[in-house]
Amino acid sequence: MYNPSKLGRNTRKKLVPRGSLLNTWRSVRSFGSAQGFSLYKTRLSVKLNLLAISIILAVALAVSAAGVITINRLTSSLSERLMRSEITQIINKLDEAHKVLKDTGVEGVETYIQRTQAELLTELKHYQFGATGRLYISSGDGQVVLVADDRQVTDVRLLKMAQDPVALSGANEGVVAGQPSVAYFSRFMPWDWHVMLTMSKGEINAQRGEFLSMVSIILVASVLLGVIIFAWFASRFVKPILELSKQMSALTEDSLGDQLDINDSSSEVAQLHHSFRDMTKRLHEASLEKRKAEEMIWRQANFDPLTDLPNRRMFFDRLGQALKIAERSGRMVALMFLDLDNFKDVNDTLGHDHGDLLLVEAARRLRTCVRQTDTLARLGGDEFTVTLTEVDDINAAERVAQEILNELAEPFQLGNNIAYVSASIGITLFPQDAKDQEILVAYADQAMFTAKKRGRNCFQYFTPTLQEAAQTRSRTIYDLRNALPNDEFVLHYQPIIDLKTNTVCKAEALVRWNHPQRGLVSPIEFIGVAEETGLISALGDWIFRTSANQVLRWRIAYGTDFQVSVNTSPAQYQEKNSHLTTDWINYLNSLGLPGGAVVTEITEGMLMSADSGVIDKLLSFRDSGIQVALDDFGTGYCSLSYLRKFDIDFLKIDRTFVSQLEVSENDRALCEAIIVMAHKLKIQVIAEGVETSEQRDILKSYGCDYGQGYLFSKPLPADEFDRYLASVRRA
């Protein structure tokens, strides 16, 4: 191996000429930094590849050396394993003979043993164990049973171990037939035979040498293959780079080997350098022109050329992005569709040039009304859109819309002329109104036309939910006016249980609307409409009369103490219904019913806003014996002083307190406090919404008087309630 560092300077120059990769950067530097740096990167890449291949070859050689050492150690025990295999075969034969002997029985054992031993020993004499190997078997008392050949054991120590009946199994070195050998011992217990097997060390070393020779040949072949691959790589990639380096060096040197001055315009290299520089400059200018052209094309495709606002294409793109962001953040997006009022008159009277000036000025004013994060776009003509992002409440959209109306209402100075326009704005909200951008734009457009129909210069919301609600309300009012004449209302009755006696003594009348198309309609959907339209008075009278007739039948059938509770509305106690108490009392008298047959239920809100008319009606009910129940107690803002001011007979604990009795300690405390307070004021308590036996037991333990809820029964039509009462009475 030679050491390159010890070579002479001239020799190293021959090995590494001036045009080599080591001088590439110096040689090509005169051609400009861009070209030189590119070639420098190429040279560096080649060096890195060569370094990687060298590392791979070094690792391969190290792994091979480690393999040789490992294999050498493994082969040292190979012969030992082979000899142990021979011993195992012998022991297996002895074991088979012993099994046959055991299966023979008692008779003829000695004869069979002798015959078996003789046959076994005869067979073992044919085993060969190499030039110096032999088989030696002795009995338990030390007598020689078999010597496989005539070779003698010359090592006294081995001979004594072979003849010793108590010798342990193992391996020992000694001399057999004048040659160094390895002896292996084993003991066969059934017959107490001792076996010694020997093999020459020379044969063991010979086997090891053959194996190592084979491994060495493989390693040499691997190294040669690596060298061939390395040479191919060098010729394929490195040589062309070296040639290029030489040529570049030659271009930058004169006949004496000195570097040329590229600033010398008479030099061909300098001219070539200037050409390269001019070409690079032209390429850079062409790239800039291409970029400007692309930007111009993109802007023409996405912006309105007149107002410089985003056009329809850009508007939909930004709207889609705003909707995605709002969907992730959970905030609203307000979309405004804006159309200029009377813009056509400006075009017709002053001309389209003035119309364009008005659009430009309108765009400028609109920009002052929105934030930078919002999107103001012109869809075409006099139509604009405003996308308000990150809207927290609806008032923000209203403020922007009003500001836009104020800005556009100011006069427009168009040259020597003044024009007046206004705007109609439609507003829609994401995600309340719709989640699709196309639908949002359509809704905003429809809302804008609604604003124009309202008289222009205003904004209008488009909310499908409110619109649907308005349509539903209109249909409900129309159908409700015909419901009473068409006998479409029915009453369901829910039993009220005396918790002390567990008997049904009361019922609450609950109105249902049996609509011919919609089926049973909940009171939540029509009671409010009936109150707003004044239909509640007629409906309340029908409920009272129907309940009075029903309680009369139940009193006849089940006892004179049965009561029916009737819900009343605050609208029924207004001044225009001054005849309410008189009519109801007279109707009870006509049926022969006392006032105690009916209980009127009122709300806390009615007590708080009670005027003299309400107080007079409640006093009239008290004087006639009609009892009063305060419904949903605890959910309003009623002061306890109202319980003293008005003659209240029953408090109904709201179901929100009863539903959590099993798990809420606070609800239990509240219910207990209400019951104790009511009893102190001589008011009976009815618990609503009792659904489990645990709730009933807790209320009963607190002294609650009555329970009402699905634990006992759901609201039932009158005929089904009759069957329920009959079954309860029989039980």
Side-chain angles (χ1 to χ4, degrees), residues 261-468:
D261 184 9
I262 61 174
N263 294 321
D264 185 6
S265 59
S266 62
S267 171
E268 294 181 359
V269 174
Q271 294 177 3
L272 180 61
H273 168 73
H274 293 311
S275 299
F276 271 108
R277 186 178 60 186
D278 294 341
M279 180 181 66
T280 304
K281 183 178 179 180
R282 288 194 299 271
L283 288 174
H284 180 67
E285 293 174 352
S287 176
L288 291 178
E289 292 177 359
K290 179 181 178 182
R291 186 180 305 172
K292 291 180 180 179
E294 291 175 350
E295 291 178 355
M296 182 180 297
I297 294 173
W298 177 84
R299 192 162 191 84
Q300 290 175 351
N302 294 279
F303 284 83
D304 174 49
L306 177 64
T307 60
D308 201 29
L309 295 177
N311 60 11
R312 179 181 295 271
R313 185 171 181 270
M314 177 62 75
F315 158 71
F316 277 103
D317 180 70
R318 292 189 180 179
L319 177 62
Q321 295 178 14
L323 298 186
K324 292 178 181 178
I325 295 173
E327 190 172 8
R328 289 195 298 267
S329 63
R331 305 177 78 173
M332 291 190 301
V333 172
L335 175 63
M336 299 182 182
F337 198 101
L338 184 150
D339 185 85
L340 298 181
D341 302 326
N342 303 319
F343 177 74
K344 185 176 181 299
D345 296 339
V346 175
N347 277 335
D348 293 341
T349 58
L350 301 178
H352 289 278
D353 293 340
H354 288 76
D356 290 344
L357 293 176
L358 189 147
L359 291 175
V360 173
E361 176 62 17
R364 187 194 65 79
R365 296 185 186 183
L366 290 173
R367 284 194 184 96
T368 63
C369 300
V370 298
R371 302 166 299 179
Q372 292 183 353
T373 56
D374 301 328
T375 299
L376 171 64
R378 181 194 177 201
L379 301 189
D382 59 340
E383 294 179 343
F384 297 86
T385 59
V386 178
T387 304
L388 301 179
T389 59
E390 299 180 354
V391 177
D392 294 321
D393 59 88
I394 195 171
N395 295 327
E398 292 184 2
R399 288 193 298 269
V400 174
Q402 190 60 52
E403 187 176 355
I404 290 175
L405 293 177
N406 295 338
E407 284 288 334
L408 296 181
E410 295 294 327
F412 287 81
Q413 185 69 43
L414 307 177
N416 297 325
N417 300 294
I418 296 178
Y420 293 90
V421 297
S422 60
S424 298
I425 304 174
I427 305 175
T428 186
L429 301 175
F430 171 90
Q432 288 86 337
D433 298 338
K435 295 185 178 181
D436 182 81
Q437 60 180 5
E438 296 286 349
I439 298 176
L440 280 173
V441 174
Y443 284 172
D445 192 11
Q446 294 178 24
M448 183 270 294
F449 278 108
T450 304
K452 282 189 176 293
K453 292 178 181 178
R454 287 179 53 195
R456 303 181 179 183
N457 194 27
C458 64
F459 61 86
Q460 173 68 43
Y461 281 100
F462 181 92
T463 54
T465 53
L466 293 178
Q467 184 183 28
E468 183 179 353

Side-chain angles (χ1 to χ4, degrees), residues 114-339:
Q114 293 175 2
R115 187 175 70 250
T116 303
Q117 289 178 348
E119 292 177 354
L120 177 62
L121 296 176
T122 301
E123 184 176 354
L124 290 177
K125 285 184 178 182
H126 298 292
Y127 275 83
Q128 299 296 326
F129 305 106
T132 60
R134 68 180 296 166
L135 178 66
Y136 184 95
I137 300 176
S138 63
S139 62
D141 56 0
Q143 298 297 321
V144 175
V145 177
L146 172 68
V147 177
D149 52 33
D150 296 333
R151 296 181 180 85
Q152 299 298 319
V153 178
T154 57
D155 193 305
V156 177
R157 179 170 57 86
L158 293 180
L159 182 60
K160 289 179 67 177
M161 291 186 68
Q163 295 177 347
D164 185 2
V166 295
L168 298 176
S169 299
N172 288 274
E173 294 185 0
V175 179
V176 178
Q179 297 187 23
S181 303
V182 179
Y184 294 89
F185 302 92
S186 182
R187 187 175 183 179
F188 181 58
M189 295 305 296
W191 289 345
D192 201 19
W193 284 359
H194 294 77
V195 182
M196 180 178 75
L197 185 66
T198 64
M199 179 171 282
S200 171
K201 280 190 173 181
E203 291 188 358
I204 294 175
N205 292 332
Q207 294 176 3
R208 186 187 306 171
E210 292 177 0
F211 190 81
L212 290 176
S213 298
M214 178 182 65
V215 173
S216 299
I217 292 173
I218 294 174
L219 291 178
V220 171
S222 300
V223 172
L224 290 176
L225 180 61
V227 172
I228 293 173
I229 294 174
F230 183 82
W232 175 84
F233 182 86
S235 63
R236 180 68 175 81
F237 296 99
V238 178
K239 186 177 179 180
I241 300 299
L242 294 176
E243 292 296 332
L244 177 62
S245 174
K246 292 179 180 179
Q247 294 177 8
M248 297 300 293
S249 298
L251 284 174
T252 57
E253 293 179 354
D254 58 12
S255 59
L256 299 178
D258 297 327
Q259 292 291 325
L260 294 176
D261 184 9
I262 61 174
N263 294 321
D264 185 6
S265 59
S266 62
S267 171
E268 294 181 359
V269 174
Q271 294 177 3
L272 180 61
H273 168 73
H274 293 311
S275 299
F276 271 108
R277 186 178 60 186
D278 294 341
M279 180 181 66
T280 304
K281 183 178 179 180
R282 288 194 299 271
L283 288 174
H284 180 67
E285 293 174 352
S287 176
L288 291 178
E289 292 177 359
K290 179 181 178 182
R291 186 180 305 172
K292 291 180 180 179
E294 291 175 350
E295 291 178 355
M296 182 180 297
I297 294 173
W298 177 84
R299 192 162 191 84
Q300 290 175 351
N302 294 279
F303 284 83
D304 174 49
L306 177 64
T307 60
D308 201 29
L309 295 177
N311 60 11
R312 179 181 295 271
R313 185 171 181 270
M314 177 62 75
F315 158 71
F316 277 103
D317 180 70
R318 292 189 180 179
L319 177 62
Q321 295 178 14
L323 298 186
K324 292 178 181 178
I325 295 173
E327 190 172 8
R328 289 195 298 267
S329 63
R331 305 177 78 173
M332 291 190 301
V333 172
L335 175 63
M336 299 182 182
F337 198 101
L338 184 150
D339 185 85

Side-chain angles (χ1 to χ4, degrees), residues 14-33:
K14 292 180 180 179
L15 292 176
V16 187
R18 290 180 60 87
S20 65
L21 288 175
L22 297 177
N23 295 319
T24 298
W25 174 250
R26 186 189 310 165
S27 302
V28 304
R29 189 164 50 189
S30 57
F31 269 96
S33 59

Side-chain angles (χ1 to χ4, degrees), residues 653-708:
I653 302 177
D654 188 75
R655 65 183 67 249
T656 56
F657 299 107
V658 177
S659 61
Q660 301 294 323
L661 278 178
E662 301 99 324
V663 295
S664 175
E665 194 170 328
N666 292 334
D667 287 348
R668 290 197 296 270
L670 286 172
C671 288
E672 185 178 10
I674 292 172
I675 293 170
V676 172
M677 176 199 66
H679 286 170
K680 291 291 184 180
L681 296 175
K682 296 182 172 32
I683 300 175
Q684 293 181 304
V685 180
I686 302 173
E688 295 180 298
V690 181
E691 297 182 355
T692 65
S693 56
E694 289 82 4
Q695 296 171 359
R696 177 199 60 195
D697 295 338
I698 293 172
L699 292 167
K700 188 175 181 180
S701 67
Y702 292 160
C704 185
D705 303 292
Y706 303 98
Q708 177 183 351

